[in-house]
Amino acid sequence: MADRPLTEPHPSRLSPERPDRARILAVHAAALAAGEAGYPDPATGLFVLTAGFLARRGTCCGRGCRHCPYVDD
């Protein structure tokens, strides 16, 4: 796993310049705290998996998940 907290996505997956970044991170943090597998994206309504769920899977699936805990570069 990458050397960063599960609450912090890699910048290539969620840009620091994205206008709704704070809202996405807040919804993600709430889902993590509740132990949920994911959350509805605030902008699109699509279901997004949490870093906690992805970490429990044990490996990266290679599909470009927003909160992938394995992305390092």
Side-chain angles (χ1 to χ4, degrees):
M1 287 203 339
D3 187 25
R4 66 176 183 279
L6 292 178
T7 55
E8 186 60 35
H10 192 274
S12 69
R13 301 294 172 93
L14 185 62
S15 171
E17 288 82 37
R18 187 170 168 154
D20 58 348
R21 185 183 198 317
R23 186 170 179 205
I24 289 169
L25 292 178
V27 175
H28 177 251
L32 274 175
E36 296 172 356
Y39 62 91
D41 180 81
T44 66
L46 297 173
F47 191 74
V48 179
L49 296 171
T50 65
F53 175 85
L54 296 168
R56 288 189 295 275
R57 289 171 83 182
T59 59
C60 176
C61 65
R63 293 190 176 126
C65 299
R66 176 183 286 166
H67 299 288
C68 181
Y70 302 100
V71 177
D72 249 347
D73 48 6

Coordinates of all heavy atoms in Angstrom, one line a residue:
M1 N 0.8 -1.2 0.0 CA 0.0 0.0 0.0 C 0.9 1.2 0.0 O 2.0 1.2 0.5 CB -0.9 0.0 1.2 CG -2.0 -1.0 1.1 SD -3.6 -0.8 2.0 CE -3.2 0.3 3.3
A2 N 0.3 2.3 -0.5 CA 1.0 3.6 -0.6 C 1.2 4.1 0.8 O 0.5 3.8 1.8 CB 0.3 4.6 -1.4
D3 N 2.3 5.0 1.0 CA 2.6 5.6 2.3 C 1.8 6.9 2.4 O 2.4 8.0 2.3 CB 4.1 5.8 2.3 CG 4.5 6.3 3.7 OD1 3.8 6.0 4.7 OD2 5.6 7.0 3.8
R4 N 0.5 6.8 2.6 CA -0.3 8.0 2.9 C -1.6 7.5 3.6 O -2.0 6.3 3.4 CB -0.7 8.7 1.6 CG -1.5 8.0 0.6 CD -1.9 8.9 -0.6 NE -2.8 8.1 -1.4 CZ -2.4 7.2 -2.3 NH1 -1.1 6.9 -2.5 NH2 -3.3 6.5 -3.0
P5 N -2.3 8.3 4.3 CA -3.5 7.9 5.0 C -4.6 7.5 4.0 O -4.6 8.0 2.9 CB -3.9 9.1 5.8 CG -3.0 10.2 5.4 CD -2.0 9.7 4.5
L6 N -5.5 6.6 4.4 CA -6.6 6.2 3.5 C -7.5 7.4 3.2 O -8.3 7.3 2.2 CB -7.4 5.1 4.2 CG -6.7 3.8 4.3 CD1 -7.6 2.8 5.1 CD2 -6.2 3.2 3.0
T7 N -7.5 8.4 3.9 CA -8.3 9.6 3.7 C -7.8 10.5 2.6 O -8.5 11.4 2.1 CB -8.5 10.4 5.0 OG1 -7.2 10.8 5.5 CG2 -9.3 9.7 6.0
E8 N -6.5 10.3 2.2 CA -5.9 11.1 1.2 C -5.7 10.4 -0.1 O -4.8 9.6 -0.3 CB -4.6 11.6 1.7 CG -3.9 12.6 0.8 CD -4.7 13.9 0.6 OE1 -5.4 14.3 1.5 OE2 -4.6 14.4 -0.5
P9 N -6.5 10.7 -1.2 CA -6.3 10.0 -2.5 C -5.1 10.5 -3.2 O -4.6 11.7 -2.9 CB -7.6 10.3 -3.2 CG -8.1 11.5 -2.6 CD -7.6 11.5 -1.2
H10 N -4.5 9.7 -4.1 CA -3.4 10.2 -4.9 C -3.8 11.3 -5.8 O -4.9 11.3 -6.3 CB -2.9 9.0 -5.7 CG -1.6 9.3 -6.4 ND1 -1.5 9.9 -7.6 CD2 -0.3 9.0 -6.0 CE1 -0.2 10.0 -7.9 NE2 0.5 9.5 -6.9
P11 N -3.0 12.4 -5.9 CA -3.4 13.5 -6.7 C -3.8 13.2 -8.2 O -4.5 13.9 -8.8 CB -2.2 14.5 -6.7 CG -1.3 13.9 -5.7 CD -1.7 12.5 -5.3
S12 N -3.2 12.1 -8.7 CA -3.6 11.7 -10.1 C -5.0 11.1 -10.1 O -5.6 11.1 -11.2 CB -2.6 10.7 -10.6 OG -2.8 9.4 -9.9
R13 N -5.6 10.8 -9.0 CA -6.9 10.2 -9.0 C -8.0 11.3 -8.5 O -9.2 11.1 -8.8 CB -7.0 9.0 -8.0 CG -6.0 7.9 -8.4 CD -6.5 7.3 -9.7 NE -5.5 6.3 -10.2 CZ -5.5 5.0 -10.0 NH1 -6.5 4.5 -9.3 NH2 -4.6 4.2 -10.5
L14 N -7.5 12.2 -7.7 CA -8.4 13.3 -7.3 C -7.6 14.6 -7.2 O -6.9 14.8 -6.2 CB -9.1 13.0 -6.0 CG -10.2 14.0 -5.5 CD1 -11.3 14.2 -6.5 CD2 -10.7 13.7 -4.1
S15 N -7.6 15.4 -8.2 CA -6.8 16.6 -8.3 C -7.0 17.5 -7.1 O -8.1 17.8 -6.8 CB -7.0 17.3 -9.6 OG -6.4 18.5 -9.6
P16 N -5.9 18.1 -6.6 CA -6.0 19.1 -5.5 C -6.8 20.4 -6.0 O -7.3 21.1 -5.3 CB -4.6 19.4 -5.1 CG -3.8 18.2 -5.5 CD -4.5 17.7 -6.8
E17 N -6.8 20.6 -7.3 CA -7.4 21.8 -7.9 C -8.9 21.5 -8.2 O -9.6 22.5 -8.6 CB -6.7 22.2 -9.2 CG -5.4 22.8 -9.0 CD -4.3 21.8 -8.8 OE1 -4.3 20.7 -9.5 OE2 -3.4 22.0 -8.0
R18 N -9.4 20.3 -8.1 CA -10.8 20.1 -8.4 C -11.7 20.9 -7.4 O -11.6 20.8 -6.2 CB -11.1 18.6 -8.2 CG -12.4 18.2 -8.7 CD -12.6 16.7 -8.7 NE -14.0 16.4 -8.9 CZ -14.4 15.3 -9.5 NH1 -13.6 14.4 -9.9 NH2 -15.7 15.1 -9.6
P19 N -12.6 21.6 -8.0 CA -13.5 22.5 -7.2 C -14.3 21.8 -6.1 O -14.5 22.4 -5.0 CB -14.4 23.1 -8.2 CG -13.8 23.0 -9.5 CD -12.9 21.7 -9.4
D20 N -14.7 20.6 -6.3 CA -15.6 19.9 -5.3 C -14.8 18.9 -4.5 O -15.3 18.0 -3.8 CB -16.7 19.2 -6.0 CG -16.3 18.2 -7.1 OD1 -15.1 18.2 -7.5 OD2 -17.2 17.4 -7.5
R21 N -13.4 19.0 -4.5 CA -12.6 18.1 -3.8 C -12.9 18.0 -2.3 O -13.0 16.9 -1.7 CB -11.1 18.5 -4.0 CG -10.1 17.6 -3.4 CD -8.7 18.2 -3.6 NE -7.5 17.4 -3.4 CZ -7.2 16.5 -2.6 NH1 -8.0 16.1 -1.7 NH2 -6.0 15.9 -2.6
A22 N -13.1 19.1 -1.6 CA -13.4 19.1 -0.2 C -14.7 18.3 0.1 O -14.7 17.6 1.1 CB -13.5 20.5 0.3
R23 N -15.7 18.5 -0.7 CA -16.9 17.8 -0.5 C -16.8 16.3 -0.7 O -17.3 15.5 0.0 CB -18.0 18.4 -1.5 CG -19.3 17.8 -1.3 CD -20.4 18.5 -2.1 NE -21.7 17.9 -1.9 CZ -22.7 18.0 -2.7 NH1 -22.5 18.7 -3.8 NH2 -23.8 17.4 -2.4
I24 N -16.0 15.9 -1.8 CA -15.7 14.5 -2.0 C -15.0 13.9 -0.9 O -15.3 12.8 -0.4 CB -15.0 14.3 -3.3 CG1 -15.9 14.7 -4.5 CG2 -14.4 12.9 -3.5 CD1 -15.1 14.8 -5.9
L25 N -14.0 14.6 -0.4 CA -13.2 14.1 0.7 C -14.0 13.9 2.0 O -13.9 13.0 2.8 CB -12.0 14.9 1.0 CG -10.9 14.9 -0.1 CD1 -9.7 15.8 0.3 CD2 -10.4 13.5 -0.3
A26 N -14.9 14.9 2.2 CA -15.8 14.8 3.4 C -16.8 13.6 3.3 O -16.9 12.9 4.3 CB -16.6 16.1 3.5
V27 N -17.3 13.4 2.2 CA -18.2 12.2 2.0 C -17.5 10.9 2.1 O -17.9 10.0 2.7 CB -19.0 12.4 0.6 CG1 -19.8 11.1 0.4 CG2 -19.8 13.6 0.6
H28 N -16.3 10.9 1.5 CA -15.4 9.7 1.6 C -15.1 9.4 3.1 O -15.2 8.3 3.5 CB -14.2 9.9 0.8 CG -13.2 8.8 0.9 ND1 -12.0 8.9 1.5 CD2 -13.3 7.5 0.4 CE1 -11.4 7.7 1.4 NE2 -12.1 6.8 0.8
A29 N -14.6 10.5 3.8 CA -14.3 10.3 5.2 C -15.4 9.8 6.1 O -15.3 8.9 6.9 CB -13.8 11.6 5.8
A30 N -16.6 10.3 5.8 CA -17.8 9.8 6.5 C -18.1 8.3 6.2 O -18.4 7.5 7.1 CB -19.0 10.6 6.1
A31 N -17.9 7.9 4.9 CA -18.2 6.5 4.6 C -17.1 5.6 5.2 O -17.4 4.5 5.7 CB -18.1 6.4 3.0
L32 N -15.8 6.1 5.2 CA -14.8 5.4 5.9 C -15.1 5.2 7.4 O -15.0 4.0 7.9 CB -13.4 6.1 5.8 CG -12.6 5.9 4.6 CD1 -11.4 6.8 4.6 CD2 -12.2 4.5 4.4
A33 N -15.5 6.2 8.0 CA -15.7 6.2 9.5 C -16.9 5.2 9.8 O -16.9 4.6 10.8 CB -16.0 7.6 10.0
A34 N -17.9 5.1 8.9 CA -19.0 4.3 9.1 C -18.7 2.8 8.6 O -19.6 2.0 8.8 CB -20.2 4.8 8.3
G35 N -17.6 2.6 8.0 CA -17.2 1.2 7.6 C -18.0 0.8 6.3 O -18.1 -0.3 6.0
E36 N -18.4 1.8 5.6 CA -19.2 1.5 4.4 C -18.2 1.2 3.2 O -17.1 1.7 3.2 CB -20.1 2.7 4.0 CG -21.1 3.0 5.1 CD -21.9 4.2 4.9 OE1 -21.6 5.0 3.9 OE2 -22.8 4.5 5.6
A37 N -18.7 0.4 2.3 CA -17.9 0.1 1.1 C -17.7 1.2 0.1 O -16.7 1.3 -0.6 CB -18.6 -1.1 0.3
G38 N -18.6 2.2 0.1 CA -18.5 3.3 -0.8 C -19.5 4.4 -0.5 O -20.2 4.3 0.5
Y39 N -19.6 5.3 -1.4 CA -20.5 6.4 -1.3 C -21.0 6.9 -2.7 O -20.3 6.7 -3.6 CB -19.8 7.6 -0.5 CG -18.7 8.1 -1.3 CD1 -18.8 9.2 -2.2 CD2 -17.4 7.6 -1.1 CE1 -17.7 9.7 -2.9 CE2 -16.3 8.0 -1.8 CZ -16.4 9.1 -2.7 OH -15.4 9.6 -3.4
P40 N -22.1 7.6 -2.8 CA -22.5 8.2 -4.0 C -21.7 9.4 -4.3 O -21.6 10.3 -3.4 CB -24.0 8.5 -3.9 CG -24.4 8.2 -2.5 CD -23.2 7.7 -1.8
D41 N -21.1 9.5 -5.4 CA -20.3 10.7 -5.8 C -21.3 11.9 -5.8 O -22.4 11.9 -6.4 CB -19.8 10.5 -7.2 CG -19.0 11.7 -7.6 OD1 -17.8 11.8 -7.2 OD2 -19.5 12.6 -8.4
P42 N -20.9 13.0 -5.1 CA -21.7 14.2 -5.0 C -22.1 14.8 -6.3 O -23.1 15.4 -6.5 CB -20.9 15.2 -4.1 CG -19.9 14.3 -3.4 CD -19.6 13.2 -4.3
A43 N -21.2 14.7 -7.3 CA -21.4 15.4 -8.6 C -22.2 14.5 -9.6 O -23.1 15.0 -10.3 CB -20.1 15.7 -9.2
T44 N -22.0 13.2 -9.6 CA -22.6 12.3 -10.6 C -23.6 11.3 -10.0 O -24.4 10.8 -10.8 CB -21.5 11.5 -11.3 OG1 -20.9 10.6 -10.3 CG2 -20.4 12.4 -11.9
G45 N -23.5 11.1 -8.7 CA -24.4 10.0 -8.1 C -23.9 8.6 -8.3 O -24.5 7.7 -7.8
L46 N -22.8 8.5 -9.0 CA -22.2 7.1 -9.2 C -21.6 6.6 -7.9 O -21.1 7.4 -7.1 CB -21.1 7.1 -10.3 CG -21.6 7.5 -11.7 CD1 -20.4 7.7 -12.7 CD2 -22.6 6.5 -12.2
F47 N -21.6 5.3 -7.7 CA -21.1 4.7 -6.5 C -19.6 4.6 -6.6 O -19.0 4.1 -7.6 CB -21.7 3.3 -6.3 CG -21.4 2.7 -5.0 CD1 -22.1 3.2 -3.9 CD2 -20.5 1.7 -4.8 CE1 -21.8 2.6 -2.6 CE2 -20.2 1.2 -3.6 CZ -20.9 1.6 -2.5
V48 N -18.9 5.2 -5.6 CA -17.4 5.2 -5.5 C -17.0 4.4 -4.3 O -17.4 4.6 -3.2 CB -16.9 6.7 -5.4 CG1 -15.4 6.7 -5.3 CG2 -17.4 7.5 -6.5
L49 N -16.0 3.5 -4.5 CA -15.5 2.6 -3.5 C -14.6 3.4 -2.6 O -13.8 4.3 -3.0 CB -14.8 1.4 -4.0 CG -15.7 0.5 -4.8 CD1 -14.8 -0.6 -5.5 CD2 -16.7 -0.2 -4.0
T50 N -14.6 3.2 -1.3 CA -13.7 3.8 -0.3 C -12.3 3.2 -0.4 O -12.2 2.0 -0.7 CB -14.3 3.8 1.1 OG1 -14.3 2.4 1.6 CG2 -15.6 4.4 1.2
A51 N -11.3 3.9 0.1 CA -10.0 3.4 0.3 C -10.0 2.2 1.2 O -9.2 1.3 1.0 CB -9.0 4.5 0.7
G52 N -10.8 2.3 2.3 CA -10.9 1.2 3.2 C -11.3 -0.1 2.6 O -10.8 -1.2 2.8
F53 N -12.4 -0.1 1.8 CA -12.9 -1.2 1.1 C -11.8 -1.8 0.1 O -11.6 -3.0 0.1 CB -14.2 -0.9 0.3 CG -14.7 -2.0 -0.6 CD1 -15.5 -3.0 0.0 CD2 -14.3 -2.1 -1.9 CE1 -15.9 -4.1 -0.8 CE2 -14.7 -3.2 -2.7 CZ -15.5 -4.2 -2.1
L54 N -11.2 -0.9 -0.6 CA -10.2 -1.3 -1.6 C -9.0 -1.9 -0.9 O -8.4 -2.9 -1.4 CB -9.8 -0.1 -2.5 CG -10.9 0.5 -3.4 CD1 -10.5 1.8 -4.0 CD2 -11.3 -0.5 -4.4
A55 N -8.6 -1.4 0.3 CA -7.5 -1.9 1.0 C -7.8 -3.3 1.5 O -6.9 -4.2 1.4 CB -7.1 -1.0 2.2
R56 N -9.0 -3.6 1.9 CA -9.4 -4.9 2.4 C -9.4 -5.9 1.3 O -9.2 -7.1 1.5 CB -10.8 -4.8 3.0 CG -10.8 -4.2 4.4 CD -12.1 -4.3 5.1 NE -13.2 -3.6 4.5 CZ -13.5 -2.4 4.6 NH1 -12.8 -1.6 5.4 NH2 -14.6 -1.9 4.1
R57 N -9.5 -5.5 0.0 CA -9.4 -6.4 -1.1 C -8.0 -7.0 -1.2 O -7.9 -8.1 -1.8 CB -9.8 -5.7 -2.4 CG -11.2 -5.3 -2.5 CD -11.5 -4.5 -3.7 NE -11.6 -5.2 -4.9 CZ -11.8 -4.7 -6.1 NH1 -11.9 -3.4 -6.2 NH2 -12.0 -5.4 -7.2
G58 N -7.0 -6.3 -0.8 CA -5.6 -6.8 -0.8 C -4.7 -6.5 -2.0 O -3.5 -6.6 -1.9
T59 N -5.3 -6.1 -3.1 CA -4.5 -5.8 -4.3 C -5.2 -4.7 -5.1 O -6.5 -4.6 -5.0 CB -4.2 -7.0 -5.2 OG1 -5.5 -7.5 -5.7 CG2 -3.4 -8.0 -4.5
C60 N -4.5 -4.1 -6.0 CA -5.1 -3.1 -6.9 C -5.7 -3.9 -8.1 O -5.1 -4.8 -8.6 CB -4.0 -2.1 -7.4 SG -4.6 -1.0 -8.7
C61 N -6.9 -3.4 -8.5 CA -7.6 -4.1 -9.6 C -7.2 -3.5 -10.9 O -7.5 -4.0 -12.0 CB -9.1 -4.0 -9.4 SG -9.8 -2.3 -9.5
G62 N -6.5 -2.3 -10.9 CA -6.1 -1.7 -12.1 C -7.1 -0.9 -12.9 O -6.9 -0.6 -14.0
R63 N -8.2 -0.6 -12.3 CA -9.3 0.0 -13.0 C -9.4 1.5 -12.7 O -10.3 2.2 -13.1 CB -10.7 -0.6 -12.5 CG -10.8 -2.0 -13.0 CD -12.2 -2.5 -12.9 NE -12.3 -3.8 -13.4 CZ -12.7 -4.9 -12.8 NH1 -13.1 -4.8 -11.5 NH2 -12.8 -6.1 -13.4
G64 N -8.4 2.1 -12.1 CA -8.3 3.5 -11.9 C -9.2 4.1 -10.8 O -9.7 5.2 -10.9
C65 N -9.5 3.3 -9.7 CA -10.4 3.8 -8.6 C -9.9 5.1 -8.0 O -8.7 5.3 -7.8 CB -10.4 2.7 -7.6 SG -11.1 1.1 -8.2
R66 N -10.8 6.0 -7.7 CA -10.5 7.3 -7.2 C -9.7 7.2 -5.9 O -8.8 8.0 -5.6 CB -11.8 8.0 -6.9 CG -11.6 9.4 -6.2 CD -12.9 10.1 -5.9 NE -13.5 10.6 -7.2 CZ -14.7 11.0 -7.3 NH1 -15.5 11.0 -6.2 NH2 -15.2 11.5 -8.4
H67 N -10.0 6.3 -5.0 CA -9.4 6.2 -3.7 C -8.5 5.0 -3.5 O -8.2 4.5 -2.4 CB -10.5 6.1 -2.6 CG -11.4 7.4 -2.6 ND1 -10.9 8.6 -2.1 CD2 -12.6 7.5 -3.0 CE1 -11.9 9.5 -2.2 NE2 -12.9 8.9 -2.8
C68 N -7.9 4.5 -4.7 CA -7.0 3.4 -4.6 C -5.9 3.6 -3.6 O -5.1 4.5 -3.8 CB -6.5 3.0 -6.0 SG -5.4 1.6 -6.0
P69 N -5.8 2.7 -2.6 CA -4.7 2.9 -1.6 C -3.4 2.4 -2.1 O -2.4 2.5 -1.4 CB -5.2 2.1 -0.4 CG -6.0 1.0 -1.0 CD -6.7 1.6 -2.3
Y70 N -3.3 1.8 -3.3 CA -2.1 1.2 -3.8 C -1.3 2.1 -4.8 O -0.2 1.8 -5.1 CB -2.4 -0.1 -4.5 CG -3.1 -1.1 -3.5 CD1 -4.5 -1.3 -3.6 CD2 -2.4 -1.8 -2.6 CE1 -5.1 -2.1 -2.7 CE2 -3.0 -2.6 -1.7 CZ -4.4 -2.8 -1.8 OH -5.0 -3.6 -0.9
V71 N -1.9 3.2 -5.3 CA -1.3 4.0 -6.2 C -0.1 4.8 -5.5 O -0.4 5.5 -4.5 CB -2.3 5.0 -6.9 CG1 -1.5 6.0 -7.8 CG2 -3.4 4.3 -7.6
D72 N 1.1 4.7 -6.1 CA 2.2 5.3 -5.5 C 2.9 6.4 -6.4 O 3.5 7.3 -5.9 CB 3.3 4.3 -5.3 CG 3.5 4.0 -3.8 OD1 3.1 4.8 -3.0 OD2 4.2 3.0 -3.5
D73 N 2.7 6.2 -7.7 CA 3.5 7.1 -8.6 C 2.6 8.1 -9.3 O 1.4 8.1 -9.3 CB 4.2 6.3 -9.6 CG 3.4 5.2 -10.3 OD1 2.2 5.1 -10.0 OD2 4.0 4.5 -11.1

